[in-house]
Amino acid sequence: MSATATKTKTMVSRAARIVANEVVDGGCHRLEAEIEGTWPVAAAGQFCMLSLDHPNFPLLPRPFSLLGSRVGDDGAARVEFMIMPVGKGSGLLCSSRPGDRLNVVGPLGHAFVGDVPDGPLVCVAGGYGVAPFIFLLEAWRRAGDPRADSTTAVFGARTAERLTLADRLAAAAGRVELCTDDGSRGFHGRVDARLTALVDQAAPAAILTCGPEAMMEAVQRVGRSASIPVKASLETYMGCGYAVCNGCAVAVEKDGTPDGYTYELACREGTVFDGARLHWNLL
Amino acid sequence: MSPVTGTTACGSAPAGKGPEAADLSVDVGPLSLTNPLMTASGTAGLGLEMEPFYDLSAAGAIVVKTLTKRPRHGNPMPRLCETPSGLLNSIGLPNKGIHHFIDEVLPDLAGRAARLVVNIAGTTTREFGELAGMLDGLPGVDALELNISCPNVEGGDLPFGRDPDVVYRLVSDVREATALPVITKLSPNVSDIAAVAQAAKQADSDAVSLINTLLGMSVDWRTGRPGLGTVVGGLSGPAIKPIAMRMVWEVSRKVDIPVIAIGGVTTVDDVLEYMCAGASAVQVGTTHYKTPDIIPRLVAELGAQLAGAGRATAREVIGSMRTP
C-alpha cells in the first residue's frame, strides 16, 4: 500500500491495521496503526476519529489527538495515538491487538502551528495533552528545524507516573520542565506556577497548551497578564469530527451579537483556538 | 423477513451482466432516484462536507441540514449524549439562514448531487410557504423536505407536526408557493402518525419521510446533571429502528403516499427491511458519524445483495412484506 499525500482531499476515511499496542506510563496505551491506502500529510494538533468493528464498540467514534503521523521508507503511512482506557470506547481500543482493524477518519481540525508568531515558544501540556507536543517537537527535530531547540515544554501531571512519555518529549524538546502536583517528579506544583516563572525570565512569542480545561484556562490567564498569545487545543464531546453533527460547539467571543458570543465547532474551527477568544465559563 | 429467497424468482439479472447489474433506481412520487439511499437532514451538513469522502452523485439524494429564515446559533452544550445503541441530540438547528444558503452555498452545491433536497423549517405555517417560495425554481434544487417535527427548538416539539389540521394548512401553504416535489418529514411523537401522513397527502405532499427523532432524555444521578444542556432532546440510531419500522409500515399500509424511511440504518439489511415494509427510499443518519462514506458503501452492497438474492431491481422489494 503506498501512502502519498493527497492534495484534493483534506481528510479521508480509512481502514488501518493495528501494528502496536503497548502500555506506557500510568496505564496509558500507545496505539500505532498502519493506514490502508492514501493518507494526507498531517500536522501536530490535528486529530482522528477512531472506531473498531467490534460489536460492542459504541455508536460514535472517539476523537484522539495524533501522537505521530509519518510515511515510512516502505511508503506506508503510520499513525500513533495515546489512549487512556477511561470508558467503553477507549477501553475497547486499548484492548485491541496487532492485526486488528481500526477505522480512522482524519486528519481533522487545524494544526497547532500556522499563525503563531516567530520566536521561541512554550508548550504547556497536562496529562495526555502531551501527545500533540511530542508530535510537533519530533517532527521539527527530524526535519532539523531550529524550533525544536528553541521551544520549552512544560509538562504537568498529578503524579510522576502520569507524566506519560515524558522521556520521549525530553528527547525531542530543547528544554523540558516537568511538574507534579505531589512533587514526585520535577517542580512541585502546577504548570501555571512554573509557566509564570518562565515567562518572567524570558517572554516567549506564544504559548501553546493542551490538557485539562481548568489548566488551560490558568495558562490563558498567565498569557493574558504577560500579553503573550495563547493557543489552546480544546477537548470536547464530539460526534463526527468533520462538522456535520454540530455536537462540539465552542462559545467564542463575537462583537455585535446579542449575547456577545457565537458558537464555532471544535472539529472544524479548532480544536486549536486563540485562548483570548474563548468564553471559558461557557465551555 | 424476505418473502422470496430462491434465485429462480422472476426478474433475475439479464444474461451477460454481472451481479452488480441489479437496477437500483426507485421513484419517490415525481422524484426519480438512481438508488434508494439518501442522507438524512442534519447528519450530512450542507452536502459539501461529505465531498472529501465520496462523490455526492453516489447518493440517490443529498438532503441538506434544516435551513431557517434567520440564522440560528443552536443550543448550549452538551448537545449530544450517547445511549445504548442510540444518540440523544439537542443541536437546535444552527444554520446561517436561507439567504446565506441561496447566495453562498447553492451556487457551489448545484449539480454535484444526483438529487438535491433542501430541508426547511419555518416558525409559522406561512413562513414555510415563504421559504418554499424562495427556493422555487432555483437551479440545483430538486425537492423540498419540510421539517415540521424538530424536537429541539424553543418550546419543545414544534406544534406543527402533531396536529393533522395544522399539517394540512402548512403543506397547502408550501404547495401554493412551489412546483417542486414536497416531502413532509413526520414526527414520531404523536399518537397517530398515519393521520398526520394522511393530512400531508390531502394537501398534496408528494411523499412523507419518517421518523424524525423520538423525544428522550438521560441523567447522571451521581452528578445530578442531565445528559443534554436542554434536558430533553431527540433520540436517533439503531435503538429507534423497530419503532420507525412499525410507523413506516403503518403509514404505507394506510396512506397512499410514497414513504421514505429514517431510523438507525447501518447495514444494507436495514435498507431492504425498510423497503420490504413499504419504504420507497431510505435515509441514513447517525451512522454518518462513524462512517462518513456509508452511503457509497451501502449502494455497492445493495447491488450485490439484490443480485445474490436473485432480484433484478430494488423496486420489487418495496412493500413486499407478507402480512401473516
Side-chain angles (χ1 to χ4, degrees), chain A residues 36-65:
Chain A
E36 293 180 358
T38 59
W39 181 248
V41 172
Q46 290 193 287
F47 68 99
C48 296
M49 299 298 285
L50 304 183
S51 64
L52 298 169
D53 291 332
H54 191 286
N56 292 338
F57 197 85
L59 195 58
L60 298 177
R62 299 294 191 250
F64 292 97
S65 208

PDB file of all heavy atoms in Angstrom, chain A residues 36-65:
ATOM      1  N   GLU A  36      -4.384   1.752   5.442  1.00  0.00           N
ATOM      2  CA  GLU A  36      -4.519   1.086   4.135  1.00  0.00           C
ATOM      3  C   GLU A  36      -4.953   2.138   3.133  1.00  0.00           C
ATOM      4  O   GLU A  36      -6.027   2.717   3.263  1.00  0.00           O
ATOM      5  CB  GLU A  36      -5.553  -0.040   4.230  1.00  0.00           C
ATOM      6  CG  GLU A  36      -5.082  -1.178   5.126  1.00  0.00           C
ATOM      7  CD  GLU A  36      -6.103  -2.303   5.228  1.00  0.00           C
ATOM      8  OE1 GLU A  36      -7.192  -2.207   4.638  1.00  0.00           O
ATOM      9  OE2 GLU A  36      -5.791  -3.281   5.936  1.00  0.00           O
ATOM     10  N   GLY A  37      -4.099   2.395   2.159  1.00  0.00           N
ATOM     11  CA  GLY A  37      -4.432   3.394   1.140  1.00  0.00           C
ATOM     12  C   GLY A  37      -3.734   4.712   1.407  1.00  0.00           C
ATOM     13  O   GLY A  37      -2.823   4.794   2.231  1.00  0.00           O
ATOM     14  N   THR A  38      -4.195   5.725   0.708  1.00  0.00           N
ATOM     15  CA  THR A  38      -3.529   7.027   0.809  1.00  0.00           C
ATOM     16  C   THR A  38      -3.853   7.703   2.131  1.00  0.00           C
ATOM     17  O   THR A  38      -4.875   7.437   2.752  1.00  0.00           O
ATOM     18  CB  THR A  38      -3.983   7.959  -0.330  1.00  0.00           C
ATOM     19  OG1 THR A  38      -5.408   8.106  -0.238  1.00  0.00           O
ATOM     20  CG2 THR A  38      -3.599   7.413  -1.685  1.00  0.00           C
ATOM     21  N   TRP A  39      -2.952   8.571   2.534  1.00  0.00           N
ATOM     22  CA  TRP A  39      -3.131   9.294   3.801  1.00  0.00           C
ATOM     23  C   TRP A  39      -2.561  10.691   3.622  1.00  0.00           C
ATOM     24  O   TRP A  39      -1.407  10.827   3.196  1.00  0.00           O
ATOM     25  CB  TRP A  39      -2.407   8.541   4.931  1.00  0.00           C
ATOM     26  CG  TRP A  39      -2.546   9.177   6.282  1.00  0.00           C
ATOM     27  CD1 TRP A  39      -1.560   9.783   7.016  1.00  0.00           C
ATOM     28  CD2 TRP A  39      -3.736   9.265   7.070  1.00  0.00           C
ATOM     29  NE1 TRP A  39      -2.077  10.240   8.206  1.00  0.00           N
ATOM     30  CE2 TRP A  39      -3.404   9.940   8.272  1.00  0.00           C
ATOM     31  CE3 TRP A  39      -5.063   8.864   6.870  1.00  0.00           C
ATOM     32  CZ2 TRP A  39      -4.345  10.218   9.268  1.00  0.00           C
ATOM     33  CZ3 TRP A  39      -5.985   9.129   7.874  1.00  0.00           C
ATOM     34  CH2 TRP A  39      -5.636   9.788   9.046  1.00  0.00           C
ATOM     35  N   PRO A  40      -3.328  11.726   3.931  1.00  0.00           N
ATOM     36  CA  PRO A  40      -2.816  13.085   3.736  1.00  0.00           C
ATOM     37  C   PRO A  40      -1.696  13.403   4.731  1.00  0.00           C
ATOM     38  O   PRO A  40      -1.531  12.726   5.748  1.00  0.00           O
ATOM     39  CB  PRO A  40      -4.038  13.966   4.034  1.00  0.00           C
ATOM     40  CG  PRO A  40      -5.221  13.049   3.992  1.00  0.00           C
ATOM     41  CD  PRO A  40      -4.714  11.713   4.400  1.00  0.00           C
ATOM     42  N   VAL A  41      -0.951  14.448   4.437  1.00  0.00           N
ATOM     43  CA  VAL A  41       0.057  14.919   5.385  1.00  0.00           C
ATOM     44  C   VAL A  41      -0.682  15.498   6.595  1.00  0.00           C
ATOM     45  O   VAL A  41      -1.603  16.294   6.443  1.00  0.00           O
ATOM     46  CB  VAL A  41       0.941  16.005   4.734  1.00  0.00           C
ATOM     47  CG1 VAL A  41       1.865  16.633   5.773  1.00  0.00           C
ATOM     48  CG2 VAL A  41       1.748  15.410   3.596  1.00  0.00           C
ATOM     49  N   ALA A  42      -0.309  15.046   7.782  1.00  0.00           N
ATOM     50  CA  ALA A  42      -0.960  15.528   8.997  1.00  0.00           C
ATOM     51  C   ALA A  42       0.033  16.336   9.811  1.00  0.00           C
ATOM     52  O   ALA A  42       1.251  16.147   9.683  1.00  0.00           O
ATOM     53  CB  ALA A  42      -1.474  14.351   9.821  1.00  0.00           C
ATOM     54  N   ALA A  43      -0.487  17.235  10.646  1.00  0.00           N
ATOM     55  CA  ALA A  43       0.399  18.065  11.462  1.00  0.00           C
ATOM     56  C   ALA A  43      -0.053  18.037  12.917  1.00  0.00           C
ATOM     57  O   ALA A  43      -1.213  17.723  13.226  1.00  0.00           O
ATOM     58  CB  ALA A  43       0.407  19.491  10.933  1.00  0.00           C
ATOM     59  N   ALA A  44       0.881  18.394  13.803  1.00  0.00           N
ATOM     60  CA  ALA A  44       0.611  18.373  15.242  1.00  0.00           C
ATOM     61  C   ALA A  44      -0.572  19.268  15.592  1.00  0.00           C
ATOM     62  O   ALA A  44      -0.670  20.392  15.108  1.00  0.00           O
ATOM     63  CB  ALA A  44       1.846  18.825  15.996  1.00  0.00           C
ATOM     64  N   GLY A  45      -1.458  18.745  16.431  1.00  0.00           N
ATOM     65  CA  GLY A  45      -2.668  19.472  16.804  1.00  0.00           C
ATOM     66  C   GLY A  45      -3.883  18.888  16.110  1.00  0.00           C
ATOM     67  O   GLY A  45      -5.008  19.063  16.559  1.00  0.00           O
ATOM     68  N   GLN A  46      -3.634  18.176  14.999  1.00  0.00           N
ATOM     69  CA  GLN A  46      -4.761  17.536  14.307  1.00  0.00           C
ATOM     70  C   GLN A  46      -5.130  16.237  15.027  1.00  0.00           C
ATOM     71  O   GLN A  46      -4.336  15.693  15.801  1.00  0.00           O
ATOM     72  CB  GLN A  46      -4.397  17.267  12.856  1.00  0.00           C
ATOM     73  CG  GLN A  46      -4.291  18.554  12.032  1.00  0.00           C
ATOM     74  CD  GLN A  46      -4.233  18.252  10.549  1.00  0.00           C
ATOM     75  OE1 GLN A  46      -3.230  17.779  10.051  1.00  0.00           O
ATOM     76  NE2 GLN A  46      -5.322  18.519   9.846  1.00  0.00           N
ATOM     77  N   PHE A  47      -6.328  15.768  14.756  1.00  0.00           N
ATOM     78  CA  PHE A  47      -6.811  14.580  15.450  1.00  0.00           C
ATOM     79  C   PHE A  47      -7.496  13.643  14.471  1.00  0.00           C
ATOM     80  O   PHE A  47      -7.703  13.989  13.308  1.00  0.00           O
ATOM     81  CB  PHE A  47      -7.770  14.974  16.586  1.00  0.00           C
ATOM     82  CG  PHE A  47      -9.075  15.565  16.106  1.00  0.00           C
ATOM     83  CD1 PHE A  47     -10.230  14.782  16.037  1.00  0.00           C
ATOM     84  CD2 PHE A  47      -9.162  16.892  15.727  1.00  0.00           C
ATOM     85  CE1 PHE A  47     -11.429  15.321  15.590  1.00  0.00           C
ATOM     86  CE2 PHE A  47     -10.360  17.444  15.269  1.00  0.00           C
ATOM     87  CZ  PHE A  47     -11.489  16.654  15.212  1.00  0.00           C
ATOM     88  N   CYS A  48      -7.840  12.457  14.961  1.00  0.00           N
ATOM     89  CA  CYS A  48      -8.577  11.478  14.159  1.00  0.00           C
ATOM     90  C   CYS A  48      -9.745  10.950  14.972  1.00  0.00           C
ATOM     91  O   CYS A  48      -9.715  10.952  16.201  1.00  0.00           O
ATOM     92  CB  CYS A  48      -7.682  10.301  13.764  1.00  0.00           C
ATOM     93  SG  CYS A  48      -6.313  10.749  12.696  1.00  0.00           S
ATOM     94  N   MET A  49     -10.780  10.492  14.270  1.00  0.00           N
ATOM     95  CA  MET A  49     -11.877   9.786  14.919  1.00  0.00           C
ATOM     96  C   MET A  49     -11.598   8.295  14.729  1.00  0.00           C
ATOM     97  O   MET A  49     -11.403   7.835  13.600  1.00  0.00           O
ATOM     98  CB  MET A  49     -13.221  10.144  14.279  1.00  0.00           C
ATOM     99  CG  MET A  49     -13.590  11.614  14.357  1.00  0.00           C
ATOM    100  SD  MET A  49     -13.787  12.301  16.030  1.00  0.00           S
ATOM    101  CE  MET A  49     -15.360  11.633  16.543  1.00  0.00           C
ATOM    102  N   LEU A  50     -11.566   7.560  15.846  1.00  0.00           N
ATOM    103  CA  LEU A  50     -11.225   6.134  15.792  1.00  0.00           C
ATOM    104  C   LEU A  50     -12.412   5.270  16.202  1.00  0.00           C
ATOM    105  O   LEU A  50     -13.168   5.631  17.113  1.00  0.00           O
ATOM    106  CB  LEU A  50     -10.060   5.837  16.737  1.00  0.00           C
ATOM    107  CG  LEU A  50      -8.771   6.637  16.548  1.00  0.00           C
ATOM    108  CD1 LEU A  50      -7.710   6.140  17.528  1.00  0.00           C
ATOM    109  CD2 LEU A  50      -8.271   6.541  15.117  1.00  0.00           C
ATOM    110  N   SER A  51     -12.557   4.147  15.538  1.00  0.00           N
ATOM    111  CA  SER A  51     -13.563   3.166  15.964  1.00  0.00           C
ATOM    112  C   SER A  51     -13.105   1.776  15.550  1.00  0.00           C
ATOM    113  O   SER A  51     -12.215   1.626  14.710  1.00  0.00           O
ATOM    114  CB  SER A  51     -14.929   3.477  15.352  1.00  0.00           C
ATOM    115  OG  SER A  51     -14.886   3.357  13.949  1.00  0.00           O
ATOM    116  N   LEU A  52     -13.724   0.792  16.180  1.00  0.00           N
ATOM    117  CA  LEU A  52     -13.458  -0.610  15.855  1.00  0.00           C
ATOM    118  C   LEU A  52     -14.730  -1.223  15.303  1.00  0.00           C
ATOM    119  O   LEU A  52     -15.834  -0.747  15.584  1.00  0.00           O
ATOM    120  CB  LEU A  52     -13.047  -1.373  17.119  1.00  0.00           C
ATOM    121  CG  LEU A  52     -11.779  -0.923  17.839  1.00  0.00           C
ATOM    122  CD1 LEU A  52     -11.683  -1.607  19.198  1.00  0.00           C
ATOM    123  CD2 LEU A  52     -10.546  -1.211  17.004  1.00  0.00           C
ATOM    124  N   ASP A  53     -14.564  -2.306  14.541  1.00  0.00           N
ATOM    125  CA  ASP A  53     -15.746  -3.028  14.071  1.00  0.00           C
ATOM    126  C   ASP A  53     -16.300  -3.964  15.147  1.00  0.00           C
ATOM    127  O   ASP A  53     -17.296  -4.632  14.937  1.00  0.00           O
ATOM    128  CB  ASP A  53     -15.411  -3.833  12.814  1.00  0.00           C
ATOM    129  CG  ASP A  53     -15.135  -2.924  11.629  1.00  0.00           C
ATOM    130  OD1 ASP A  53     -15.690  -1.805  11.605  1.00  0.00           O
ATOM    131  OD2 ASP A  53     -14.364  -3.315  10.738  1.00  0.00           O
ATOM    132  N   HIS A  54     -15.663  -3.999  16.295  1.00  0.00           N
ATOM    133  CA  HIS A  54     -16.105  -4.814  17.427  1.00  0.00           C
ATOM    134  C   HIS A  54     -17.597  -4.565  17.712  1.00  0.00           C
ATOM    135  O   HIS A  54     -18.041  -3.419  17.752  1.00  0.00           O
ATOM    136  CB  HIS A  54     -15.264  -4.422  18.650  1.00  0.00           C
ATOM    137  CG  HIS A  54     -15.419  -5.341  19.812  1.00  0.00           C
ATOM    138  ND1 HIS A  54     -16.546  -5.351  20.593  1.00  0.00           N
ATOM    139  CD2 HIS A  54     -14.587  -6.275  20.334  1.00  0.00           C
ATOM    140  CE1 HIS A  54     -16.406  -6.251  21.544  1.00  0.00           C
ATOM    141  NE2 HIS A  54     -15.229  -6.830  21.404  1.00  0.00           N
ATOM    142  N   PRO A  55     -18.376  -5.651  17.897  1.00  0.00           N
ATOM    143  CA  PRO A  55     -19.831  -5.464  18.073  1.00  0.00           C
ATOM    144  C   PRO A  55     -20.201  -4.625  19.298  1.00  0.00           C
ATOM    145  O   PRO A  55     -21.282  -4.026  19.325  1.00  0.00           O
ATOM    146  CB  PRO A  55     -20.369  -6.900  18.207  1.00  0.00           C
ATOM    147  CG  PRO A  55     -19.180  -7.759  18.503  1.00  0.00           C
ATOM    148  CD  PRO A  55     -18.001  -7.073  17.900  1.00  0.00           C
ATOM    149  N   ASN A  56     -19.322  -4.570  20.291  1.00  0.00           N
ATOM    150  CA  ASN A  56     -19.642  -3.783  21.481  1.00  0.00           C
ATOM    151  C   ASN A  56     -19.116  -2.353  21.420  1.00  0.00           C
ATOM    152  O   ASN A  56     -19.250  -1.603  22.381  1.00  0.00           O
ATOM    153  CB  ASN A  56     -19.090  -4.460  22.743  1.00  0.00           C
ATOM    154  CG  ASN A  56     -19.815  -5.756  23.033  1.00  0.00           C
ATOM    155  OD1 ASN A  56     -20.939  -5.960  22.583  1.00  0.00           O
ATOM    156  ND2 ASN A  56     -19.162  -6.652  23.757  1.00  0.00           N
ATOM    157  N   PHE A  57     -18.473  -2.011  20.291  1.00  0.00           N
ATOM    158  CA  PHE A  57     -17.963  -0.640  20.213  1.00  0.00           C
ATOM    159  C   PHE A  57     -19.157   0.314  20.157  1.00  0.00           C
ATOM    160  O   PHE A  57     -20.157   0.034  19.508  1.00  0.00           O
ATOM    161  CB  PHE A  57     -17.060  -0.444  18.983  1.00  0.00           C
ATOM    162  CG  PHE A  57     -16.212   0.797  19.099  1.00  0.00           C
ATOM    163  CD1 PHE A  57     -14.995   0.753  19.770  1.00  0.00           C
ATOM    164  CD2 PHE A  57     -16.652   2.013  18.599  1.00  0.00           C
ATOM    165  CE1 PHE A  57     -14.231   1.902  19.923  1.00  0.00           C
ATOM    166  CE2 PHE A  57     -15.893   3.165  18.750  1.00  0.00           C
ATOM    167  CZ  PHE A  57     -14.677   3.111  19.414  1.00  0.00           C
ATOM    168  N   PRO A  58     -19.068   1.437  20.873  1.00  0.00           N
ATOM    169  CA  PRO A  58     -20.215   2.365  20.902  1.00  0.00           C
ATOM    170  C   PRO A  58     -20.601   2.893  19.516  1.00  0.00           C
ATOM    171  O   PRO A  58     -19.861   2.713  18.539  1.00  0.00           O
ATOM    172  CB  PRO A  58     -19.720   3.510  21.790  1.00  0.00           C
ATOM    173  CG  PRO A  58     -18.558   2.959  22.554  1.00  0.00           C
ATOM    174  CD  PRO A  58     -17.952   1.912  21.694  1.00  0.00           C
ATOM    175  N   LEU A  59     -21.747   3.533  19.468  1.00  0.00           N
ATOM    176  CA  LEU A  59     -22.286   4.061  18.214  1.00  0.00           C
ATOM    177  C   LEU A  59     -21.371   5.114  17.601  1.00  0.00           C
ATOM    178  O   LEU A  59     -21.215   5.171  16.383  1.00  0.00           O
ATOM    179  CB  LEU A  59     -23.657   4.682  18.522  1.00  0.00           C
ATOM    180  CG  LEU A  59     -24.586   5.007  17.388  1.00  0.00           C
ATOM    181  CD1 LEU A  59     -24.891   3.774  16.569  1.00  0.00           C
ATOM    182  CD2 LEU A  59     -25.879   5.600  17.944  1.00  0.00           C
ATOM    183  N   LEU A  60     -20.779   5.946  18.444  1.00  0.00           N
ATOM    184  CA  LEU A  60     -19.954   7.035  17.942  1.00  0.00           C
ATOM    185  C   LEU A  60     -18.470   6.680  17.984  1.00  0.00           C
ATOM    186  O   LEU A  60     -18.017   6.006  18.907  1.00  0.00           O
ATOM    187  CB  LEU A  60     -20.169   8.300  18.785  1.00  0.00           C
ATOM    188  CG  LEU A  60     -21.571   8.887  18.793  1.00  0.00           C
ATOM    189  CD1 LEU A  60     -21.632  10.090  19.730  1.00  0.00           C
ATOM    190  CD2 LEU A  60     -22.021   9.289  17.395  1.00  0.00           C
ATOM    191  N   PRO A  61     -17.722   7.185  16.988  1.00  0.00           N
ATOM    192  CA  PRO A  61     -16.265   7.025  17.045  1.00  0.00           C
ATOM    193  C   PRO A  61     -15.705   7.949  18.124  1.00  0.00           C
ATOM    194  O   PRO A  61     -16.431   8.791  18.642  1.00  0.00           O
ATOM    195  CB  PRO A  61     -15.821   7.480  15.655  1.00  0.00           C
ATOM    196  CG  PRO A  61     -16.859   8.475  15.239  1.00  0.00           C
ATOM    197  CD  PRO A  61     -18.151   8.007  15.858  1.00  0.00           C
ATOM    198  N   ARG A  62     -14.442   7.783  18.474  1.00  0.00           N
ATOM    199  CA  ARG A  62     -13.838   8.580  19.545  1.00  0.00           C
ATOM    200  C   ARG A  62     -12.693   9.433  19.007  1.00  0.00           C
ATOM    201  O   ARG A  62     -11.877   8.939  18.230  1.00  0.00           O
ATOM    202  CB  ARG A  62     -13.301   7.647  20.640  1.00  0.00           C
ATOM    203  CG  ARG A  62     -14.376   6.783  21.301  1.00  0.00           C
ATOM    204  CD  ARG A  62     -15.347   7.646  22.090  1.00  0.00           C
ATOM    205  NE  ARG A  62     -16.236   6.904  22.956  1.00  0.00           N
ATOM    206  CZ  ARG A  62     -17.553   6.753  22.771  1.00  0.00           C
ATOM    207  NH1 ARG A  62     -18.138   7.267  21.704  1.00  0.00           N
ATOM    208  NH2 ARG A  62     -18.291   6.106  23.656  1.00  0.00           N
ATOM    209  N   PRO A  63     -12.647  10.709  19.429  1.00  0.00           N
ATOM    210  CA  PRO A  63     -11.571  11.585  18.940  1.00  0.00           C
ATOM    211  C   PRO A  63     -10.270  11.424  19.722  1.00  0.00           C
ATOM    212  O   PRO A  63     -10.291  11.370  20.959  1.00  0.00           O
ATOM    213  CB  PRO A  63     -12.154  12.992  19.164  1.00  0.00           C
ATOM    214  CG  PRO A  63     -13.104  12.851  20.307  1.00  0.00           C
ATOM    215  CD  PRO A  63     -13.586  11.420  20.317  1.00  0.00           C
ATOM    216  N   PHE A  64      -9.147  11.333  19.021  1.00  0.00           N
ATOM    217  CA  PHE A  64      -7.833  11.295  19.667  1.00  0.00           C
ATOM    218  C   PHE A  64      -6.850  12.143  18.885  1.00  0.00           C
ATOM    219  O   PHE A  64      -6.793  12.085  17.655  1.00  0.00           O
ATOM    220  CB  PHE A  64      -7.295   9.852  19.766  1.00  0.00           C
ATOM    221  CG  PHE A  64      -8.093   9.008  20.700  1.00  0.00           C
ATOM    222  CD1 PHE A  64      -9.087   8.175  20.213  1.00  0.00           C
ATOM    223  CD2 PHE A  64      -7.890   9.087  22.066  1.00  0.00           C
ATOM    224  CE1 PHE A  64      -9.860   7.420  21.076  1.00  0.00           C
ATOM    225  CE2 PHE A  64      -8.658   8.327  22.934  1.00  0.00           C
ATOM    226  CZ  PHE A  64      -9.648   7.491  22.444  1.00  0.00           C
ATOM    227  N   SER A  65      -6.071  12.909  19.638  1.00  0.00           N
ATOM    228  CA  SER A  65      -5.019  13.734  19.078  1.00  0.00           C
ATOM    229  C   SER A  65      -3.961  12.827  18.454  1.00  0.00           C
ATOM    230  O   SER A  65      -3.673  11.753  18.995  1.00  0.00           O
ATOM    231  CB  SER A  65      -4.412  14.513  20.239  1.00  0.00           C
ATOM    232  OG  SER A  65      -3.890  15.717  19.797  1.00  0.00           O
TER     233      SER A  65
END
